[in-house]
Amino acid sequence: MAKDRYKLGQNAERKQAGLPGPPGPGMGGGEKAKDFSAIWVKLLRYCRQYWAVIIVSLVCAMLGTVLTLLGPDKLSEMTDLIKDGLMSGIDMDAVTKIGFVLVAFYGFSAILSLVQGIIMATITQRVSKRMRSDISEKINRLPMKYYSRATTGDVLSRVTNDVDTIGQSLNQSIGTIISSITLLAGSLIMMLKTNLLMTVTAIVATLIGFGLMIAIMGKSQKYFSSQQKHLGEINGHVEEVYAGHIVVKAYNGEKAAKEIFDKMNNNLRDSGFKAQCLSGLMMPLMSFIGNFGYVAVCVVGALLAINGNISFGVIVAFMLYVRYFTQPLAQLAQAAQSMQSAAAAGERVFEFLEAEEMEDESEKGTRLEKAQGTVEFSHVQFGYEDSEKTVINDFSAKATPGQKIAIVGPTGAGKSTLVNLLMRFYEIQSGDIRIDGISIRELRREDVHAQFCMVLQDTWLFEGTMRENLIYSTENVSDEKIKIACKAVGLHHFIRTLPHGYDTVLNDQVNLSAGQKQQITIARAMIANRPMLILDEATSSVDTRTELQIQSAMDELMKGRTSFIIAHRLSTIKNADIILVVKDGDIIESGNHEELLQKNGFYAELYNSQFEAA
C-alpha cells in the first residue's frame, strides 16, 4: 500500500520532468488476443488441485445425462403397450412398472445434476478466492515500474470483473459442455440404434449448425478481448475522475471528463455489442436448426410409419431423441459464449500474474537490524526504462548519523527519484547506495524499508479507527505513546472532540481536512520511531501555526536520526545540516542555509524568489 501511494508523487515528478507518462489503461490491450485454447489450458492448469473433484462432478453430469437418455426408450415401450392394448386391454401392471422405472431414471438424473451443480459452485468459488489472493500477493511482488504503466482502476478491474467472469464461466460452461456432449453423443447412439434413415436426416440438419457456430466463435473472440480491455479502461477513468473530482469541478473539467468517458463508453458499447451480437446469433441459429431438424425427422418418420417400416412408439421415442440431439447445440453455443468471455478475462488475469516480479531476496544473508544512520550515495546514475533521458546523472553525497539532509531544487530535478532509489522502489543502473557501509543491493528490500519512516505529500488513510491508522504496521504500541505523538503534532485535542476519540472509525462520515490528514501521517511516523526519516513536503498541507508546532515536534523527533527532507518551501529547511541543491539530476550546490545564501548562487535565487513579494 505504501508503494502504491508513493507512486503518485513519483508519477507526477516523471511528468513534470518531461518523461513519458504511463500508457493508457489496460496494459497489453492493443496486442492481438492470445489463443483461445491456450488461455483455457492455463485456466485448467490453475485448477489442477481440484481436478479429482471436477472429474467426480463431470461423471455425475454424464451419468445424469445417460439416465435421461434411457427415458425415451422406456417411453417407447410404454407407448407401444398402450397402443397395442387399445383394442384388447392395456396391461396396467407393465405400464406402471415402466412408469416407476422412468420416475427413478429422471429422479436419479436430477439428483446427480444437483450434486454436479453444488460441486462446481464450490470449486469455482474456491478458485476465484485463490485467484484474488494470488493477485493480492502479486501486487506486493511487482516492481514500482509496473504501477507507473498501469492505472489503479485497470488493476482493480482485473481483481473484480475479470475474476468474477472466470468464476461464472467455470461454473456454467464446464458442466454444461460435458452434459451437452454426453447428451449429443448418447442421443446419436440411441438414434442409430432406433432408425438409420431418420438419424441421417437429423445429422445433416445439425451439421449446418455446427459449421455456423464454429465460424461465429472465430469472429467474436477478438471482440470479447476488446470488451474486457475497454471495461478496464473505463474503470480506470472513473476511478481517476472520482478521486480528483474536486479538481475537476474547480477547473470546470466536467465537460472534458465527460467527453473522455463518452468516448470510452462508446468503445465499450461497440465492442460489447459486437461480441454479444455475434455470440447472440448462435442461440436463435441453433434453435432454428434444431427445429428444422425436428420437422425433417417428423416428416421422414411419418412416411416410414405410413409404409409400416416403424411403429408409432419408435416415432415418439425418436422425436425425443431428436430434441435431445438438437438441444445440446444451443447449450454448447451458450457455453462457447461464456468460455470466450472467460478466455478474454483470463488473458488479462494471467498477464498480471505472469508479469515480471522483483528479484527474490529470501536467500540474502546480510541483515541490518537497526541502522546507525550513515548513508552514502556514490556516483549514482538512473533513468526510467521507458525514457532515454537520464534522471540522475552522477549523484554523490554522504549523510552521517543524526544529520538533517535537505534536498531542494526545481520541479523534475530528481528529488523524489533519489528517495525512490534510497528505498529501493527502483534499482539504480550504476553506482551504489550504502547504509552503514552496507550496499542496499546486499540487503532485502524489507530490511531497507524497516530503517525509514516516511511522511509524504500525498496522505494515505484507510477505513479503520483513528488508533489503527496511527499505529499502522507497528506492533506493541501503548496508548500513552500514541497520545504523546498526537500531542506533539497538535492532533490530540481534535481527536478528543471525535465521537469515540481514538476509537472513531475514519470513513466518509468523518470530515478531515488535508492538514489533519497530514498530522495523522506525521504522528504515524513518530510512533514508528525508526532510525531514519524521509519527509517529502511533510508540512505542505498545514497552516503556518500548525506548521511551526509540527516543525518543533519534527526537530525533536529528528534528534539522533538521519533525516532526508524534500521541500519546496525553503523556509522549512533553514536549520538543515546540509542542503543539497539538485538540478537536472546533479548536485550543483551544497552547504548549510547561510553558506548557500552567501554564495549567491542557484539556492539563493530560489530562496529569494519565495520572498520577493515580501
Side-chain angles (χ1 to χ4, degrees):
M1 292 182 178
K3 292 182 182 179
D4 187 50
R5 71 181 187 273
Y6 194 69
K7 93 165 150 108
L8 297 174
Q10 181 269 329
N11 279 345
E13 182 174 85
R14 284 164 58 86
K15 293 178 181 177
Q16 291 164 343
L19 300 175
M27 291 175 57
E31 299 174 0
K32 186 179 179 180
K34 295 182 180 178
D35 183 59
F36 175 91
S37 58
I39 299 298
W40 265 97
V41 167
K42 288 184 179 181
L43 281 172
L44 293 176
R45 286 177 179 170
Y46 190 82
C47 303
R48 59 182 175 272
Q49 69 183 92
Y50 303 109
W51 279 0
V53 186
I54 291 175
I55 290 173
V56 171
S57 171
L58 299 182
V59 169
C60 288
M62 293 176 66
L63 290 176
T65 304
V66 169
L67 289 174
T68 301
L69 285 168
L70 295 176
D73 191 50
K74 291 296 181 182
L75 189 61
S76 175
E77 293 181 24
M78 181 186 288
T79 303
D80 286 337
L81 280 172
I82 295 173
K83 174 179 168 294
D84 294 340
L86 288 176
M87 303 300 292
S88 59
I90 300 174
D91 185 354
M92 292 304 299
D93 290 337
V95 170
T96 303
K97 183 178 179 180
I98 293 174
F100 279 122
V101 171
L102 281 171
V103 170
F105 281 174
Y106 292 135
F108 279 118
S109 176
I111 292 172
L112 289 170
S113 297
L114 178 63
V115 171
Q116 182 266 336
I118 293 173
I119 291 175
M120 287 307 300
T122 303
I123 289 173
T124 52
Q125 289 306 313
R126 290 186 178 182
V127 169
S128 298
K129 177 185 175 182
R130 179 191 166 197
M131 193 168 280
R132 284 190 291 266
S133 297
D134 287 346
I135 292 175
S136 178
E137 293 175 3
K138 181 75 175 185
I139 288 173
N140 295 323
R141 297 197 302 267
L142 289 174
M144 289 294 293
K145 63 183 180 181
Y146 182 92
Y147 299 106
S148 298
R149 302 194 303 263
T151 64
T152 303
D154 184 61
V155 174
L156 291 177
S157 183
R158 297 176 196 238
V159 179
T160 54
N161 297 329
D162 293 332
V163 172
D164 285 345
T165 298
I166 292 171
Q168 291 174 10
S169 179
L170 287 173
N171 188 27
Q172 297 173 3
S173 60
I174 294 181
T176 300
I177 288 174
I178 296 300
S179 299
S180 299
I181 291 175
T182 304
L183 192 61
L184 190 67
S187 58
L188 178 60
I189 293 171
M190 297 302 291
M191 284 194 298
L192 288 170
K193 175 185 173 184
T194 305
N195 187 274
L196 179 61
L197 181 59
M198 294 173 69
T199 302
V200 172
T201 304
I203 291 174
V204 170
T206 52
L207 280 177
I208 301 172
F210 264 120
L212 290 173
M213 185 176 71
I214 293 172
I216 291 173
M217 282 180 59
K219 292 288 186 182
S220 61
Q221 177 58 32
K222 61 182 179 181
Y223 296 119
F224 277 101
S225 296
S226 297
Q227 182 182 11
Q228 294 301 125
K229 177 183 80 84
H230 291 143
L231 183 60
E233 287 181 349
I234 203 167
N235 282 339
H237 176 70
V238 170
E239 186 273 336
E240 184 180 70
V241 172
Y242 179 77
H245 67 280
I246 294 178
V247 176
V248 173
K249 286 186 172 296
Y251 285 89
N252 294 323
E254 295 95 337
K255 182 178 179 181
K258 187 177 184 302
E259 288 175 353
I260 296 173
F261 175 83
D262 288 342
K263 182 179 179 180
M264 292 181 173
N265 202 18
N266 288 334
N267 289 337
L268 179 58
R269 180 202 63 190
D270 293 342
S271 59
F273 173 78
K274 291 174 182 177
Q276 300 301 326
C277 186
L278 284 173
S279 63
L281 287 175
M282 289 192 280
M283 286 292 288
L285 183 62
M286 291 303 102
S287 179
F288 170 76
I289 295 297
N291 290 328
F292 175 71
Y294 187 67
V295 171
V297 166
C298 287
V299 172
V300 173
L303 292 174
L304 292 175
I306 291 172
N307 294 331
N309 294 324
I310 58 174
S311 67
F312 183 71
V314 171
I315 294 178
V316 172
F318 209 92
M319 288 170 66
L320 289 175
Y321 283 132
V322 169
R323 181 59 68 188
Y324 289 156
F325 185 69
T326 55
Q327 176 185 338
L329 293 176
Q331 293 176 342
L332 286 171
Q334 186 175 8
Q337 176 183 349
S338 179
M339 289 178 69
Q340 285 182 309
S341 296
E347 179 182 351
R348 286 166 48 79
V349 170
F350 286 118
E351 178 187 62
F352 186 83
L353 292 176
E354 294 169 0
E356 181 183 356
E357 299 180 1
M358 294 182 290
E359 181 185 353
D360 181 19
E361 300 182 324
S362 58
E363 299 300 323
K364 287 187 175 181
T366 306
R367 293 290 185 270
L368 184 61
E369 297 299 330
K370 188 172 183 179
Q372 296 299 314
T374 301
V375 178
E376 184 177 1
F377 293 83
S378 179
H379 303 288
V380 172
Q381 185 175 2
F382 174 76
Y384 293 102
E385 291 184 1
D386 55 355
S387 173
E388 296 179 357
K389 182 178 178 181
T390 301
V391 182
I392 306 297
N393 296 314
D394 186 12
F395 186 89
S396 295
K398 185 174 181 179
T400 57
Q403 278 192 324
K404 288 183 281 187
I405 313 298
I407 305 173
V408 303
T411 299
K415 302 183 297 297
S416 294
T417 300
L418 286 172
V419 173
N420 280 338
L421 298 177
L422 178 59
M423 291 290 289
R424 285 198 65 195
F425 291 159
Y426 286 87
E427 299 294 340
I428 59 177
Q429 294 166 350
S430 65
D432 198 10
I433 300 175
R434 292 183 289 274
I435 299 176
D436 289 354
I438 303 173
S439 173
I440 60 174
R441 288 195 181 100
E442 299 175 10
L443 298 170
R444 297 182 304 173
R445 292 180 186 85
E446 52 265 36
D447 290 339
V448 175
H449 300 165
Q451 309 306 317
F452 293 91
C453 301
M454 296 186 71
V455 180
L456 308 174
Q457 183 175 3
D458 299 296
T459 57
W460 179 81
L461 303 176
F462 59 89
E463 186 169 336
T465 66
M466 176 69 77
R467 187 188 312 277
E468 290 170 339
N469 272 278
L470 288 167
I471 65 174
Y472 176 72
S473 198
T474 303
E475 299 178 352
N476 303 320
V477 180
S478 65
D479 290 345
E480 186 63 26
K481 186 176 181 179
I482 295 173
K483 290 179 181 178
I484 290 173
C486 291
K487 287 178 180 179
V489 298
L491 193 62
H492 180 67
H493 175 72
F494 167 73
I495 295 176
R496 290 180 59 189
T497 65
L498 295 175
H500 303 288
Y502 284 90
D503 294 316
T504 301
V505 176
L506 301 184
N507 52 29
D508 294 338
Q509 306 302 317
V510 180
N511 293 318
L512 297 175
S513 68
Q516 289 166 336
K517 292 178 181 179
Q518 192 67 279
Q519 286 174 293
I520 293 173
T521 60
I522 294 171
R524 179 191 295 160
M526 296 181 71
I527 292 169
N529 196 26
R530 291 174 179 173
M532 292 179 282
L533 297 173
I534 294 175
L535 310 175
D536 190 349
E537 292 294 331
T539 59
S540 61
S541 300
V542 298
D543 58 83
T544 304
R545 181 176 177 275
T546 305
E547 179 188 337
L548 292 174
Q549 185 176 12
I550 292 175
Q551 193 66 50
S552 175
M554 296 303 292
D555 288 341
E556 185 67 27
L557 175 65
M558 287 187 286
K559 285 182 179 179
R561 293 179 175 84
T562 307
S563 305
F564 295 89
I565 309 166
I566 297 175
H568 288 290
R569 197 185 302 175
L570 301 185
S571 59
T572 63
I573 49 95
K574 289 193 294 184
N575 62 346
D577 297 308
I578 300 176
I579 299 174
L580 302 177
V581 184
V582 181
K583 184 179 181 183
D584 298 327
D586 291 317
I587 298 176
I588 59 173
E589 293 178 351
S590 65
N592 60 36
H593 176 69
E594 297 298 332
E595 291 172 348
L596 291 175
L597 285 181
Q598 291 176 6
K599 288 182 180 179
N600 199 28
F602 187 72
Y603 176 83
E605 181 182 341
L606 284 176
Y607 183 80
N608 292 328
S609 67
Q610 297 186 6
F611 300 96
E612 283 181 357

